[in-house]
Amino acid sequence: FFSSRRRHTRCREVSWARRCVQETAYTPCSAGTYYNLEGCASLSSCITCIAGAYCPQGSANYIPCQPGYYNSNTGKYDPADCQQCLAGTNASAAGTATCGACPAGYYADKVGSITCTPCPAGTAYPSTGANALSMCTLCTQGYYSPGGIAACLQCQGGTYAGQTGMSSCTLCLAGTSSTTLGATDSSVCQCCPGGSTSAAGSTSCVQCVAGKYSASCDGSCTNCPTGSYSTSAGTVTCTVSPVGTYIDTTGATAFILCPVGKYNPNTNSSSLSNCLPCPAGFFSNTTGCSSCTPCPIGYFNSLTGQTSCLPCPVRYFQNLTGQASCPPCEVGTYNVASAQDSCTPCIPGTMQNQTGQITCFVCPKGTYQTLFRQTSCIACPTGYYQNYVGQAKCFACKNGTYSDIN
């Protein structure tokens, strides 16, 4: 509302600020000011245009300078009052009163820059306000820059930079390590000792775990192959499985014992099939055998893969070890017990003419046998007699008697 003659008069609503003088007449705000309300009371109500903007005559609001331009003074009314930012500065937003200097690591090589450009990778600039790409200087050896930074960064342990202007440091190869800072060549990357390894760019080596091994400079630990194992960390070479065992997986930390009834005379075995069944005449009653035990004297085993031997039955004997069978007692002998290494010879007065017997036959009356281990009895000669069985000799006929049968 506006009052000039002690009565209230409504000003017409307008799109730019005007100063009311009467109900049908109004005057615009002067250049360099603006007014954004519906009504005004006097010229002094017009607001001075802010810095970073301009206000033509009759402005309802200030007009900000566009990005890349600035205006440091108030009360400006001409678009030309917005000046381009100088090289080395920028204005990213509209309505800027003062352009900001490019931060360290950035530059602006044109006037009117909205943003500053980061120094490229491999370069840096330590101060603000750089106005040319050439002000971004190359990183020296041992340093690097991803771009847009004030100072080049030192290569950390496990890396090196052998050239100037590096955007990143080169990693030491897997299997090597380095603790040197700012290294300029790969000579600082030292091989990991055998039994250890490292990832690329490492500052230290780590031991291979049990079941793995490595040689010096190896980039990784390798599983022990089948037939070998390692029980501790830091192994350079794996140990082959000993006799009586096998290993059928990679990366093993222990060997597997051959089961009972089997044996393995070889090392570095990679399968259960390397454990062989004990042959006939032999046995194994413990695990992990490198050889089978021969059946003792008086015992035999006719099957393979056995854990014990059988005693020779009665009528049979065995006087050798490691046999698959027991032979029967020979003629002239007998056997009444098991697990014997020999048969008992028939005594004088007896005989046995068959094999595998448990007793000897006594010589019948009229016969004799003076020797051991015989297969027959002898008839008493003429003039002799024997009226008992199982005798070792015959008797001469007494006076007044005779015998003509032999």
Side-chain angles (χ1 to χ4, degrees):
F1 292 89
F2 168 71
S3 175
S4 60
R5 297 182 181 177
R6 293 185 176 271
R7 61 188 179 92
H8 294 287
T9 303
R10 178 179 296 275
C11 290
R12 183 184 304 172
E13 187 175 333
V14 293
S15 59
W16 72 79
R18 285 173 165 74
R19 181 168 53 87
C20 300
V21 293
Q22 58 183 19
E23 186 175 0
T24 60
Y26 51 85
T27 302
C29 286
S30 59
T33 64
Y34 71 97
Y35 195 76
N36 56 5
L37 299 178
E38 238 181 73
C40 54
S42 65
L43 180 61
S44 62
S45 298
C46 295
I47 303 168
T48 301
C49 201
I50 64 173
Y54 62 95
C55 301
Q57 185 182 36
S59 293
N61 211 332
Y62 60 84
I63 303 172
C65 295
Q66 65 186 26
Y69 288 74
Y70 76 100
N71 178 6
S72 57
N73 299 313
T74 61
K76 295 299 181 179
Y77 59 88
D78 192 329
D81 291 326
C82 294
Q83 302 177 37
Q84 287 184 315
C85 292
L86 300 176
T89 66
N90 76 302
S92 59
T96 298
T98 303
C99 297
C102 289
Y106 287 75
Y107 70 96
D109 56 0
K110 295 183 175 67
V111 296
S113 293
I114 298 174
T115 60
C116 296
T117 303
C119 286
T123 67
Y125 186 69
S127 302
T128 60
N131 58 17
L133 172 62
S134 60
M135 298 178 73
C136 300
T137 55
L138 290 175
C139 295
T140 60
Q141 290 180 315
Y143 289 79
Y144 75 101
S145 165
I149 60 176
C152 295
L153 305 174
Q154 190 178 51
C155 290
Q156 298 301 298
T159 67
Y160 64 94
Q163 299 176 349
T164 60
M166 297 288 286
S167 61
S168 62
C169 298
T170 303
L171 300 178
C172 288
L173 296 177
T176 67
S177 67
S178 169
T179 57
T180 303
L181 301 177
T184 59
D185 60 66
S186 61
S187 63
V188 299
C189 304
Q190 300 296 306
C191 281
C192 292
S196 64
T197 189
S198 68
S202 294
T203 58
S204 63
C205 301
V206 294
Q207 284 190 322
C208 297
V209 298
K212 295 178 180 287
Y213 73 99
S214 74
S216 177
C217 295
D218 279 356
S220 63
C221 295
T222 304
N223 281 334
C224 291
T226 56
S228 64
Y229 70 103
S230 73
T231 59
S232 59
T235 297
V236 178
T237 57
C238 298
T239 304
V240 297
S241 60
V243 293
T245 69
Y246 69 97
I247 301 171
D248 57 2
T249 59
T250 61
T253 58
F255 51 76
I256 305 170
L257 299 175
C258 289
V260 293
K262 295 179 180 289
Y263 75 105
N264 183 2
N266 301 311
T267 61
N268 196 27
S269 297
S270 59
S271 172
L272 175 60
S273 63
N274 297 126
C275 297
L276 306 174
C278 292
F282 292 77
F283 74 99
S284 165
N285 58 6
T286 59
T287 58
C289 287
S290 61
S291 62
C292 296
T293 304
C295 291
I297 291 173
Y299 288 78
F300 77 103
N301 195 340
S302 61
L303 302 176
T304 62
Q306 298 303 298
T307 60
S308 63
C309 296
L310 302 173
C312 292
V314 295
R315 306 170 186 253
Y316 293 82
F317 77 101
Q318 183 52 263
N319 59 359
L320 300 174
T321 61
Q323 299 303 302
S325 63
C326 297
C329 289
E330 299 171 343
V331 293
T333 65
Y334 71 99
N335 190 352
V336 295
S338 62
Q340 298 302 301
D341 62 354
S342 64
C343 295
T344 305
C346 293
I347 62 175
T350 65
M351 66 88 181
Q352 182 53 263
N353 60 0
Q354 296 179 14
T355 60
Q357 299 303 306
I358 62 173
T359 186
C360 295
F361 298 114
V362 296
C363 290
K365 292 178 181 180
T367 65
Y368 73 100
Q369 180 54 261
T370 60
L371 302 176
F372 287 86
R373 203 182 183 93
Q374 296 303 299
T375 61
S376 63
C377 294
I378 304 170
C380 290
T382 301
Y384 288 78
Y385 75 99
Q386 181 52 263
N387 60 346
Y388 292 100
V389 297
Q391 297 303 305
K393 63 181 180 177
C394 293
F395 301 107
C397 291
K398 296 180 180 180
N399 293 334
T401 65
Y402 71 97
S403 173
D404 59 358
I405 301 173
N406 58 16

